[in-house]
Amino acid sequence: MLALALSVAGYLLPVSWASTAAFIAGWLVAGYDVLWRMVKNILKGKIFDENFLMGIATVGAVCLGDTAEAAGVMLFYQVGEYLQQRALGRARKLITDVVALRPEAALVLRDNSEISMPVSQVTPSMFVRVYPGDRIPLDGTVSEGLSSLDTSALTGESLPRDVAPGDEVLCGAVNLSGLITLQVTRPASQSVAAKMLELVETSSSHKAPTERFITRFARVYTPIVIGVALCVAVIPPLLGLGGWNDFLHRALTFLVVSCPCALVISVPLGFMGGIGSSARQGILIKGSDALERLARLRGVAFDKTGTLTQGAFAVARAVPVPGVTQETLLSSAALAESASRHPVAVSIVVACPPQDTSSWAFYEEAGLGVRATSGSDVILVGNARMMRAHNIDLPDLKLETTAIYVARSHRYLGYIELLDAPLPDAKDTIFALHALGISRTALLTGDQPSAAHAVADALGIRHVRAGLLPGDKVEALTQLQNEWGRPVAFVGDGINDAPVLTAADLGIAMGKRGTDAALEAADVVLMRGAPMDVPLAVRIGRKTRMVITQNIVMALAFKVFVLVLAAMNLAGMWMAVFADVGVALLAVLSSLRCLSVKGTNARKKRARPS
């Protein structure tokens, strides 16, 4: 404000020396920090930056007697810098809001009393109490109480999640309703919130090719334009084409125009906006290089269990022999499986809860199945080898899914088909990728070929590699990279996926169900664990790249135009400053468009795979 007042006074004062002094004072007040940074950087050997360009241009203007122009230029420059910092702050806030999730203290239960303790001192197995309105201080499992949690900062989900004893809760979620007690499962340094903070803090060290190019470009570009400005100032007067003052003014204007602020600021800000937008929606991207690879994806390979499927068996259908009802088949199987905790047993019991089992004795035959007996009544539930071991004749069946056989009192009753059901949005994910032009999708799994092909056919995935060990997955992905071209992403969640996530051009981990090894190896973490976030991340990457490209073209085109005008003495210092600060501000505001990518419902807009 003082600089503005002095500049206005310079215009109002009638006496020439007084107005000149006011303009010089306004120039110094507005630009003292720029001039001081210029001097410090020169002493450090860092000459070619925007402070040097603005400083030498305005000092030259003062020496030429254009004090009003020097004051106005520096004032306009500072206004532009202020607006740029406001825009930068908006982008940074999106990231800090996401990572500022972990409370500093937790209420630890000891001898039925609550003790406030720093989260860094809380160890696994301790019990922590969380009141309504408080954030969950550490990852843990609910031991007492019922409540609803706001997990939007972690996963991007707006709908509260109900929790009860036995449910896992994550650090950073907000307890909305009831008092709960949880048993800590991870120390603070290994919590999901801590991992999110680490991912965002380290993301700046992973620069995209575009960002590295701009950095190199600025280092080479700035000395070149200074050399051109010297030529403009010296050569024409020596050749008798004009006066020294005229061409020195042109050279100074040329210097102001040439400052690459728009490129140097808007490109990293664009990537910051893309990373902030994705973090706000529960997608953590480890750096701008991963964001740029998302924009250039040629294909995506998926793990099956826990990534595209629910990771738990469900009864697909019960097929009894003639004379036996489905109810009899299922109830007999459920009764025998009621004492087992095997995933297959759980799925059958869920499909048909058994009645009173108190009179039954249960036995597990390792590698075969289970046997339940009550007097002379015997129920066998297991694989084909179990049936043969008990002399039960089976029909010749060629099944494409996992199946178990059921016999009772030495009579074969039928079989039950089990399916690891796809996640609700798995099919929409594949269609959404196809709609984005990524028609190359593959399923790489260690599961049986029949189960893998059944899931792939249901989802519309054409390339299937099944029965793969972790090393085989890496080899299969390498083959896909050679066939499809790069980059190719891999999406997985298990500890066995860590090698292939590392080997992929872009590793994407399912954060909600993913193991620590998978989260560490991945370049992108989907905190919601929803496959539909894969095409959303691609859209964010593409939007970011498009905006940055537009910024580069706009900045270079406008600068070249005004540079030519400046060399021809058709552009004054004011236009030069707009070409510098003004275009930089326009590029910054344009970069904020990267924050606006929203999720969409893929069901409304499907594309057939090519």
Side-chain angles (χ1 to χ4, degrees):
M1 293 302 294
L2 178 59
L4 178 61
L6 289 169
S7 299
V8 172
Y11 280 107
L12 297 178
L13 288 172
V15 183
S16 60
W17 67 266
S19 62
T20 299
F23 282 130
I24 292 176
W27 167 64
L28 291 173
V29 170
Y32 75 92
D33 57 334
V34 175
L35 298 172
W36 177 238
R37 286 197 299 268
M38 178 186 72
V39 173
K40 288 197 301 183
N41 289 343
I42 290 175
L43 294 176
K44 294 178 182 178
K46 299 177 181 179
I47 300 175
F48 303 120
D49 62 2
E50 62 183 84
N51 298 299
F52 178 80
L53 294 176
M54 290 301 303
I56 196 171
T58 54
V59 168
V62 170
C63 293
L64 293 175
D66 296 327
T67 54
E69 201 166 55
V73 163
M74 197 62 81
L75 181 62
F76 185 31
Y77 177 79
Q78 293 289 20
V79 170
E81 287 292 297
Y82 170 75
L83 294 175
Q84 286 178 27
Q85 291 304 316
R86 287 289 300 271
L88 282 167
R90 179 183 168 191
R92 289 194 186 102
K93 186 176 184 300
L94 283 169
I95 294 180
T96 56
D97 285 348
V98 171
V99 299
L101 300 173
R102 189 176 60 198
E104 296 297 324
L107 292 177
V108 178
L109 293 181
R110 283 187 177 174
D111 300 326
N112 295 322
S113 61
E114 299 174 358
I115 301 175
S116 181
M117 182 182 296
V119 292
S120 59
Q121 298 179 15
V122 181
T123 59
S125 76
M126 285 186 174
F127 289 89
V128 172
R129 182 163 287 168
V130 184
Y131 285 85
D134 293 342
R135 285 194 183 273
I136 305 296
L138 299 112
D139 295 350
T141 303
V142 177
S143 60
E144 293 182 21
L146 302 172
S147 187
S148 295
L149 303 183
D150 177 3
T151 62
S152 57
L154 290 168
T155 67
E157 291 179 296
S158 58
L159 187 67
R161 184 168 71 90
D162 295 331
V163 294
D167 290 339
E168 182 183 5
V169 295
L170 300 178
C171 171
V174 178
N175 183 15
L176 296 178
S177 53
L179 173 65
I180 58 174
T181 302
L182 61 92
Q183 185 174 21
V184 177
T185 55
R186 294 189 189 94
S189 60
Q190 297 179 16
S191 69
V192 169
K195 290 182 183 297
M196 290 175 67
L197 179 60
E198 182 181 356
L199 292 182
V200 176
E201 285 178 341
T202 58
S203 65
S204 60
S205 63
H206 302 279
K207 287 191 173 183
T210 301
E211 199 169 358
R212 290 193 294 267
F213 164 75
I214 292 300
T215 303
R216 294 195 302 268
F217 172 81
R219 291 172 183 169
V220 176
Y221 166 84
T222 306
I224 290 175
V225 296
I226 290 177
V228 173
L230 287 173
C231 291
V232 171
V234 175
I235 294 177
L238 289 178
L239 297 177
L241 300 177
W244 287 94
N245 281 0
D246 177 34
F247 281 96
L248 182 58
H249 190 276
R250 296 190 194 188
L252 294 174
T253 304
F254 188 91
L255 283 178
V256 175
V257 177
S258 64
C259 184
C261 297
L263 298 177
V264 175
I265 294 174
S266 68
V267 172
L269 179 60
F271 283 115
M272 185 186 299
I275 292 172
S277 176
S278 59
R280 185 172 57 182
Q281 300 187 65
I283 303 171
L284 295 184
I285 300 176
K286 299 181 184 180
S288 55
D289 56 342
L291 191 63
E292 186 154 297
R293 272 177 275 151
L294 270 169
R296 299 186 292 107
L297 278 186
R298 303 287 297 275
V300 182
F302 292 88
D303 176 45
K304 182 180 78 70
T305 306
T307 300
L308 292 176
T309 65
Q310 297 177 6
F313 285 108
V315 173
R317 63 173 182 155
V319 183
V321 297
V324 177
T325 65
Q326 283 190 341
E327 182 180 358
T328 299
L329 176 63
L330 282 171
S331 61
S332 298
L335 191 154
E337 296 278 21
S338 60
S340 175
R341 298 270 62 86
H342 191 279
V344 170
V346 171
S347 65
I348 294 174
V349 172
V350 168
C352 182
Q355 303 299 319
D356 182 24
T357 60
S358 58
S359 62
W360 290 81
F362 303 95
Y363 307 91
E364 186 162 342
E365 299 188 10
L368 300 177
V370 295
R371 173 168 49 92
T373 62
S374 178
S376 60
D377 195 359
V378 179
I379 302 175
L380 304 173
V381 181
N383 55 29
R385 287 186 292 124
M386 183 181 194
M387 298 296 117
R388 286 192 292 268
H390 289 270
N391 298 315
I392 304 296
D393 293 329
L394 293 178
D396 186 15
L397 300 173
K398 294 182 179 179
L399 302 175
E400 295 296 326
T401 57
T402 300
I404 63 166
Y405 302 93
V406 183
R408 187 166 187 171
S409 299
H410 301 287
R411 180 191 176 194
Y412 174 65
L413 299 183
Y415 65 90
I416 299 172
E417 285 187 312
L418 301 171
L419 181 67
D420 184 4
L423 291 167
D425 60 350
K427 189 170 186 177
D428 288 334
T429 298
I430 305 304
F431 276 111
L433 288 172
H434 293 157
L436 290 170
I438 304 175
S439 58
R440 298 180 178 93
T441 52
L443 188 65
L444 307 182
T445 178
D447 208 345
Q448 296 298 319
S450 59
H453 281 282
V455 170
D457 291 343
L459 301 182
I461 299 176
R462 293 185 175 178
H463 300 273
V464 180
R465 309 282 177 87
L468 302 177
L469 296 174
D472 299 329
K473 284 188 177 182
V474 174
E475 185 177 340
L477 183 72
T478 302
Q479 293 175 358
L480 292 177
Q481 289 170 329
N482 294 332
E483 293 173 12
W484 294 349
R486 306 177 81 158
V488 175
F490 180 83
V491 187
D493 70 314
I495 190 170
N496 62 319
D497 292 328
V500 68
L501 284 168
T502 303
D505 299 308
L506 188 76
I508 303 177
M510 310 296 282
K512 197 170 185 179
R513 297 178 297 276
T515 62
D516 289 344
L519 299 182
E520 288 291 334
D523 302 297
V524 178
V525 179
L526 310 180
M527 295 305 298
R528 282 187 296 220
M532 269 303 293
D533 283 343
V534 176
L536 174 58
V538 172
R539 289 174 46 235
I540 292 174
R542 290 185 178 181
K543 176 71 173 287
T544 302
R545 185 177 64 169
M546 179 191 72
V547 169
I548 289 173
T549 302
Q550 291 173 347
N551 287 346
I552 292 173
V553 172
M554 176 188 69
L556 290 179
F558 200 92
K559 279 190 178 294
V560 169
F561 175 69
V562 180
L563 281 172
V564 173
L565 293 181
M568 298 171 62
N569 202 29
L570 298 176
M573 193 72 76
W574 291 97
M575 184 180 290
V577 172
F578 178 77
D580 174 30
V581 182
V583 173
L585 180 58
L586 288 176
V588 167
L589 296 175
S590 173
S591 298
L592 296 180
R593 292 184 292 149
C594 298
L595 302 172
S596 63
V597 182
K598 303 291 183 183
T600 59
N601 189 347
R603 295 179 186 274
K604 297 179 181 178
K605 189 177 180 181
R606 286 185 171 181
R608 293 189 176 277
S610 59

